[in-house]
Amino acid sequence: MQVLLLGGTADGRRLAAALESAGIAVVTSVAGRTAQARGQADARVGGFGGVDGLVDYLRATGTDAVVDATHPFAARMTANAAEACATAGVRLLRFTRPGWADHRYAGRWRWVPDHGAAAQAAGQAPGRVLLTVGRQPLAAYRGLRDVLARVAEWQGDPVPEGMRILEARGPFGLDAELALLGDEEITMLVSKDSGGVDNAAKLEAAARLGIPVVMIARPPLPEGLQQVSSVADAVAWVGAPNR
Ligand code: NAP
């Protein structure tokens, strides 16, 4: 059986290891250059060239199943995978960690649909904003007066005015998050609904310090896409071709 795992996430690495332990060989595909640094030296690296490129890849490699374990906010790859698998007649599973909609503080947060709305909400409040949305969307926050943007990796791009960059890769513990929010005198936290536990300590820290949170909701999934959030369910799906 030929299985393609669209990765680029810690969840994807966990699933690849579990599939291998179950005797199922997978090709993991990642988008970018950090693959080797993140312990994925054997990954297939780089985009497929849109939907058509992915269809060609699936056909050329005789892929039987695709597991999309990309980040919940990697909406383009998820949409492309849905379209390409439908075209090529390949079964597809979305594997993603549960979001924070059921988090015990979720009712206190201001939920917004996208980065534009998050920037607007942040612009209405005085003080210093901690942005934890990754590197790519930072342009949407241009114009805010006082922003600390925490990113896993900064690649020397010009830093927008009013913004400082903090390069740090999680997971972060509660003590570290409390210290960062306190030392930096943060008055608002902006986060994506990435979900999971690895990055959740900031939410507990913000609650303890009474810091308001703006939470960007996940982009909607393509219609009809089958989704699981546990490694065991994903391994079972891969191993049972008729599911
Ligand atoms: P995106 O906007 O959905 O994808 C942009 C393009 O990157 C895709 O159209 C595809 O290019 C290529 N691509 C994305 N994931 C790929 C994969 N696993 N293998 C091969 N090509 C891939 O994605 P993004 O938000 O830029 O994220 C890029 C990668 O970083 C994803 O794999 C994601 O899992 C990971 N990541 C994203 C975030 C986030 O917050 N967005 C956070 C952590 C990790 P083609 O159209 O040429 O095929």
Side-chain angles (χ1 to χ4, degrees):
M1 182 169 33
Q2 187 74 24
V3 180
L4 173 67
L5 191 152
L6 300 170
T9 56
D11 295 332
R13 290 190 288 278
R14 277 196 280 270
L15 178 57
L19 286 167
E20 271 162 36
S21 300
I24 301 169
V26 291
V27 174
T28 294
S29 173
V30 296
R33 289 161 288 169
T34 53
Q36 293 207 332
R38 308 297 314 280
Q40 298 219 267
D42 55 351
R44 175 210 162 277
V45 179
F48 296 93
V51 174
D52 292 347
L54 182 51
V55 170
D56 290 347
Y57 174 91
L58 296 173
R59 288 182 173 149
T61 53
T63 297
D64 306 291
V66 175
V67 180
D68 174 6
T70 56
H71 190 273
F73 280 78
R76 182 155 8 128
M77 188 69 250
T78 291
N80 287 0
E83 201 177 330
C85 286
T87 303
V90 171
R91 63 199 191 103
L92 170 66
L93 182 70
R94 179 69 169 123
F95 169 64
T96 187
R97 62 193 118 150
W100 286 324
D102 296 328
H103 190 283
R104 63 182 169 139
Y105 300 127
R108 300 186 191 175
W109 305 331
R110 177 159 173 190
W111 286 84
V112 295
D114 53 35
H115 292 287
Q120 207 175 15
Q124 286 163 358
R128 181 171 296 157
V129 177
L130 176 63
L131 275 187
T132 60
V133 296
R135 179 175 53 86
Q136 289 187 51
L138 292 188
Y141 298 87
R142 245 177 240 282
L144 295 181
R145 277 183 310 103
D146 192 355
V147 171
L148 180 64
R150 181 166 69 188
V151 299
E153 208 173 319
W154 187 254
Q155 293 171 340
D157 318 26
V159 179
E161 207 183 317
M163 201 176 277
R164 285 178 299 132
I165 300 295
L166 171 62
E167 234 181 328
R169 195 179 284 283
F172 307 101
L174 179 59
D175 289 346
E177 297 293 52
L178 285 167
L180 176 67
L181 293 175
D183 293 350
E184 286 286 351
E185 300 178 342
I186 299 298
T187 55
M188 177 176 279
L189 170 67
V190 177
S191 170
K192 297 184 293 197
D193 179 14
S194 297
V197 290
D198 286 357
N199 284 313
K202 63 187 174 187
L203 305 171
E204 178 65 35
R208 288 196 192 182
L209 298 174
I211 295 172
V213 173
V214 173
M215 185 63 70
I216 302 165
R218 291 181 172 193
L221 284 181
E223 216 168 296
L225 182 53
Q226 193 179 345
Q227 183 180 200
V228 297
S229 56
S230 85
V231 167
D233 286 347
V235 172
W237 180 90
V238 172
N242 296 323
R243 280 167 70 128

